[in-house]
Amino acid sequence: MDAIALQHVSFTYEDLSHAKGASAQRALTDVSLSVPQGQFLCVIGHSGGGKSTLLRLISGLSLPTEGTVLIDGNPVHGPGMDRSIVFQDYALFPWMRVKRNVEFGIEQANTVLGRGLSKHAIAQRADEYLRLVNMQDACNKYPYQLSGGMQQRVAIARALAMDTQIVLFDEPFGALDVKTRRSLQTLVSSLWARSESPKTTVFVTHDISEAILLADRVVFVDAGQITADFMVDLPRPRTVENLAHNAQAQEIEKRLTDLFYESSPAEDEEEIALSLDAVLGQEVRPWQRF
Ligand code: ADP
Ligand code: MG
């Protein structure tokens, strides 16, 4: 049975503002997708294409307007302890020290799933995962005392230490510099591969090289639909260096780059042009810009 299945899922954001000219925003249209147990799926596409909405539906933070989302064959009615999620903005509890943040996640899963872990076992598990992400020395710090990359390490430790069947990532490294990003990509990839039964992972990104480094499979989401779906059958462990000399990796990169260029003209560009119009008080279109 598939770990995750979306069956003819559509999603519309209702506009609750009742502002003049407001209208409901259709974010996904008739999306069907099956993710087998243990697969590392990357969801890639332009900004505004519907990637986060897709992830929110899998997480249960949003429920479909039409269609069904199934986890292990059971319909999703809301968030559950079988899924953990890592967001771009770290989302640690600011009033808890680093170790407490991780323990809290483990405790929640422990209580809801009735695992019967002792307080001591929970603390040990938190230590183990903080070591894995190389944050053991920061366990008594507060999130605000850490850099973005360090906070994201803790968020990853928390999500993985919860030992959920499914781990969801929404552009977790989007706000980080290239070097930190690379090291966290390697971390996520090695933690995933280290397990005997790898966790089913859905990882949203708009970074092509990130998708090729991490994914078993890539789906391209554009204007609320899946427009491409293919396997990334490259040996692991993968590094930027060894992929640079791999013809198949280059072919996949070209395919993904083409998808970005062929797909709907970037909504971002149109939005940037519109906001420039507003700032400059005149019409500026992409081809006129600087
Ligand atoms: P992505 O993650 O690929 O950038 P999203 O899933 O966030 O895309 O957004 C898909 C579409 O839904 C976009 O047109 C976006 O403007 C719209 N959208 C996203 N969140 C909301 C919201 N809370 N209310 C209204 N529209 C939204
Ligand atoms: Mg998004």
Side-chain angles (χ1 to χ4, degrees):
M1 187 190 301
D2 290 311
I4 304 169
L6 277 75
Q7 299 173 336
H8 303 289
V9 166
S10 297
F11 186 82
T12 303
Y13 287 98
E14 297 303 331
D15 190 296
L16 303 175
S17 71
H18 304 293
K20 198 171 154 218
S23 61
Q25 174 73 40
R26 181 113 163 162
L28 290 177
T29 307
D30 195 18
V31 169
S32 294
L33 171 72
S34 296
V35 188
Q37 166 65 41
Q39 187 168 68
F40 199 122
L41 174 75
C42 278
V43 177
I44 193 163
H46 292 294
S47 166
K51 304 182 295 299
S52 294
T53 306
L54 181 69
L55 208 71
R56 288 179 64 83
L57 289 167
I58 297 171
S59 74
L61 290 169
S62 300
L63 298 175
T65 313
E66 284 163 56
T68 316
V69 179
L70 303 167
I71 302 294
D72 281 335
N74 302 312
V76 167
H77 299 296
M81 275 299 160
D82 47 1
R83 287 150 283 158
S84 56
I85 186 159
V86 181
F87 295 101
Q88 180 170 338
D89 56 3
Y90 325 131
L92 297 175
F93 300 114
W95 62 90
M96 289 183 193
R97 293 176 196 271
V98 160
K99 182 167 171 185
R100 189 70 203 121
N101 258 284
V102 180
E103 284 178 340
F104 187 77
I106 305 169
E107 267 169 25
Q108 294 297 303
N110 188 46
T111 308
V112 175
L113 302 176
R115 285 179 174 154
L117 289 179
S118 68
K119 226 176 152 59
H120 178 67
I122 290 171
Q124 267 190 334
R125 194 175 172 80
D127 284 333
E128 178 193 343
Y129 276 83
L130 284 168
R131 258 197 313 279
L132 280 173
V133 301
N134 206 14
M135 285 297 294
Q136 64 273 31
D137 295 341
C139 65
N140 287 320
K141 296 207 160 136
Y142 285 99
Y144 77 87
Q145 295 174 297
L146 307 178
S147 69
M150 290 163 108
Q151 290 189 50
Q152 202 56 308
R153 277 176 198 273
V154 178
I156 293 168
R158 183 175 63 185
L160 296 181
M162 288 167 71
D163 197 22
T164 55
Q165 310 248 17
I166 294 172
V167 190
L168 308 170
F169 292 90
D170 194 356
E171 308 210 27
F173 312 141
L176 304 175
D177 62 85
V178 177
K179 196 162 162 249
T180 309
R181 208 181 164 103
R182 284 281 174 256
S183 87
L184 291 185
Q185 285 161 352
T186 310
L187 177 73
V188 165
S189 179
S190 59
L191 290 177
W192 176 82
R194 145 187 190 270
S195 163
E196 270 170 32
S197 53
K199 308 220 170 278
T200 310
T201 305
V202 183
F203 190 108
V204 169
T205 179
H206 58 249
D207 179 333
I208 293 177
S209 66
E210 183 162 275
I212 300 174
L213 264 174
L214 297 174
D216 285 329
R217 173 186 177 196
V218 172
V219 296
F220 194 87
V221 172
D222 184 45
Q225 294 191 300
I226 292 177
T227 56
D229 180 349
F230 56 90
M231 302 305 288
V232 178
D233 194 11
L234 297 166
R236 294 178 191 267
R238 302 176 192 160
T239 63
V240 179
E241 294 74 30
N242 69 29
L243 291 181
H245 305 292
N246 183 309
Q248 201 188 341
Q250 284 162 11
E251 208 178 291
I252 295 170
E253 184 173 349
K254 175 163 187 326
R255 195 164 164 190
L256 281 170
T257 308
D258 288 348
L259 279 165
F260 268 101
Y261 280 99
E262 284 160 11
S263 49
S264 45
E267 187 181 283
D268 316 348
E269 293 229 335
E270 192 56 28
E271 272 172 20
I272 291 166
L274 287 172
S275 52
L276 278 175
D277 293 350
V279 173
L280 301 174
Q282 63 186 59
E283 202 171 284
V284 181
R285 283 292 166 266
W287 55 88
Q288 296 172 311
R289 267 187 275 137
F290 325 110

